[in-house]
Amino acid sequence: MTDVVLDGVDKVYPGGVVAVRNVRLKINDGELFVLLGPSGCGKSTILRMIAGLEDITGGDLWLNGTVANDLQPRDRNVAMVFQEGALYPHRTVKGNMMFPLEVSGDDRAEAHAKVHELARALGINSMIDRLPRTLSGGQRQRAAIGRALIREPSLFLMDEPLSSLDAGLRTELRVEIAALVRSTGTTTVYVTHDQVEAMTMADRMAVLRDGVLEDVGTPEQIYEDPATVFVAAFLSSPPINLLQATLWAVEGEGLLLDFGSQRLIIPWNDPRASSLISHHGQSISVGIRPDTLMPIAPGSPAPPGTVLSGQIRALEFHGHEWLAYAETGIPTVDATEVGRPAPAASYEPERPGVLDRVRTLLGRPSPQAEEPVEEHAGHHRRRADLIFRIAPGDRPNRGDHVALTIDFERVLFFGANGKRVTPVHRTPHANAKPKPREAHSHEAPRHP
């Protein structure tokens, strides 16, 4: 078994492309740790640096207390499962799983027994004599996982192993994989872009964007107490409501959230008031998850500053519930742009897109002349909808006016830089740093 520490790790490719920037992270012995983020965020690059398949540009990688920057992949005692399984096509399932034991010179009878035992655990014992081309995608992935685990590695690395499978099979396999690696006690690093996989499998997880570590914690911590507006939006299904407001401290009333057309009031006795007051007069992002909104009966009394209202524009049926989209006139926030460094400015003359040219030929009005949308932070255009949940028996109608009360304790507040305004609570070991290292010859230059 082993633990993994990334101490200020950078990865810069030729041409100056920064894939990973100053990542500090500790993965504990025996932990199932998930690296989560959108495509191109650096999660697979981190996994490959841990495996020794990518050189580290700056910083240090520690494996079980030893600097491993210069260790060859074969000397790291790690096993890796890729997205497509990468089985040997000319070998049967049994032959693929036997191969690592043959290379290490294990006793043949003992190796056979281990292969059959692990194949039973993975549910592929009945197909152990079949070639990979005769297997389904899920069966091939099970065989690839078996070939990796049969070596009893100290570190198990999985790079989006379920992404090419259908939704039903992904659900089945993620349960089996999580149970299997926990039963072995092997430290496991699992890469995915699927928030459901991350939330259901991880002991702890890290969320990355543009090669930068945004947040680290347990799934519950990151969902309920996200460190940045990007994390709040990325771990949200249905999408979190991110509303743009100006914060005002009003004597005798409280903290006023001014959305332009509507307002909310946070009382002075709210424990977050002391953190929020420093943003007086500033624009902030207000995060309201759909399950924190509750429709109230028409005409029901509600204290001033505790209700948001709108007109229902669309409804979606999800079996166990309805999702409602209410037009509120409140500006929304683009979480993908808030807190991201601005790219270098470049000028390109505006050219009409394909849809614009089609509208011109058909004599149709432009989108600006059709239905109103709101411009908001990040210059992303989106309707000013408020999304909330409704039980199946309480379905309203499109066009109905609705008033919504809010569970204020679960409302999230983010500054203009995308970071939480109020304190974020994490376990002490979430970003533990290694002991100071001794100087050694392979020191790589650091990048900002």
Side-chain angles (χ1 to χ4, degrees), residues 31-115:
E31 192 169 39
L32 200 171
F33 193 94
V34 174
L35 297 174
L36 174 69
S39 297
C41 71
K43 55 189 185 296
S44 292
T45 301
I46 290 175
L47 199 74
R48 292 174 64 83
M49 287 192 287
I50 294 172
L53 303 178
E54 293 277 3
D55 293 330
I56 295 172
T57 306
D60 291 309
L61 169 69
W62 298 69
L63 297 179
N64 216 24
T66 302
V67 177
N69 292 39
D70 287 341
L71 279 180
Q72 293 298 312
R74 64 177 177 272
D75 299 324
R76 301 190 184 204
N77 194 22
V78 303
M80 191 165 178
V81 175
F82 299 92
Q83 182 174 331
E84 299 298 333
L87 296 172
Y88 299 117
H90 61 286
R91 284 178 170 260
T92 63
V93 170
K94 182 178 180 179
N96 270 279
M97 294 175 67
M98 282 283 291
F99 182 73
L101 303 180
E102 292 171 358
V103 171
S104 59
D106 285 27
D107 178 78
R108 192 164 183 80
E110 292 181 3
H112 274 272
K114 286 176 69 175
V115 166

Side-chain angles (χ1 to χ4, degrees), residues 245-261:
T246 303
L247 183 70
W248 302 101
V250 181
E251 188 175 353
E253 290 190 52
L255 294 165
L256 180 70
L257 296 173
D258 184 359
F259 298 107
S261 60

